[in-house]
Amino acid sequence: MEKREELYRGKAKSVYKTDDADRLILLFRNDTSAFDGKRIEQLDRKGMVNNKFNAFIMQKLEAAGIPTQFDKLLADNEVLVKKLDMIPVECVVRNYAAGSLVKRLGVEEGMKLNPYTFELFLKDDAKGDPFINESHVVAFGWGTAEQLARMKELSLKVNEVLSKLFDDAGLLLVDFKLEFGVFSDGSIVLGDEFSPDGCRLWDKDTKKKMDKDRFRQGLGDVIEAYEEVANRLGVPL
C-alpha cells in the first residue's frame, strides 16, 4: 500500500491518500487538544497508545458484527482504513452523567442514567459542536432518516459490547462519542477512532478518571492513565 499526499489534518490525526481509491492511512499524532482546539499540547507516546487502543477496540466491535473503518495496523502510529464519506454528526451515548450534560442540566456528576441517553451533535468546531436533533440532521441534509436509524442502532450495540468489555476490566464506560460514514457500497460504517480521547472511563471502585478529562481538568498523568486502561484490557502496546 503506497502512502501518498496528506488529505486532511485534524486536531490529533492526519489522513493520507493511498494508491487504493477505497483506502486511506490515518496517522495518530502526539497532539492532544481540548476546548475545540483552543488548548493543544504534545504528549509523548500518545499517538502510539491511541492507535493500538483503537485497533484493539475496532477489532472487538467487528467480531461483534459492527462494521468499522479499520483494516489493519501499519505501524505504531499508522493504520489502514476504509475511505468513508463522513456524516458530520457525532452520536453520543451516556451511561452516567458527566461533562456537558452536567453543565446543561445541573445534574450530579456520576449519576447513573437509566436508561442510557442518546444525543446528536453537529461536528463543527467553529460553532462549538452544537446539540442538535434528528429533524435538524434530515432538514439540513447532513444525513437521512434511514442513516440516522442505522447510526443509532450501531451506537447502542457498541454501548452493549464495550460496557461489558470495560466492566470486566474494572472500569465504568461513562459516555462516548462515535462518528459514522458511508462506504463505497452505500453501507453505514463506524469511522474515526475509539480511544480515551473520545470517551469517559472511570475506575469502578475509586471513580478515578482514566480518560481525556485528565488533560481537560489538569489532573496530570494523562498517558499513564491511557496505558493503564490499555493494560487492563490486554491491548498489546
Side-chain angles (χ1 to χ4, degrees), residues 24-64:
L24 300 169
I25 291 174
L26 300 187
L27 170 69
F28 284 71
R29 306 194 311 272
N30 287 339
D31 295 330
T32 306
S33 69
F35 314 116
D36 295 325
K38 295 181 178 66
R39 178 187 169 198
I40 299 177
E41 293 181 17
Q42 293 274 314
L43 296 178
D44 188 43
R45 306 189 309 280
K46 192 238 183 181
M48 178 274 292
V49 172
N50 275 8
N51 182 36
K52 293 185 176 181
F53 192 104
N54 175 66
F56 179 88
I57 293 295
M58 290 297 178
Q59 289 174 88
K60 290 290 186 183
L61 295 177
E62 285 276 3

Side-chain angles (χ1 to χ4, degrees), residues 28 46 49-51 53-54 57 193-201 211 226:
F28 284 71
K46 192 238 183 181
V49 172
N50 275 8
N51 182 36
F53 192 104
N54 175 66
I57 293 295
E193 68 175 287
F194 194 104
S195 75
D197 270 8
C199 66
R200 286 187 174 88
L201 297 165
D211 52 72
Y226 285 23

Side-chain angles (χ1 to χ4, degrees), residues 113-147:
L113 304 176
N114 190 20
Y116 48 74
T117 66
F118 177 77
E119 300 175 343
L120 301 173
F121 295 84
L122 178 64
K123 188 170 173 58
D124 189 326
D125 285 344
K127 295 182 176 65
D129 295 338
F131 183 43
I132 57 175
N133 62 36
E134 294 181 13
S135 296
H136 294 139
V137 176
V138 176
F140 291 108
W142 298 320
T144 67
E146 292 76 20
Q147 288 172 335

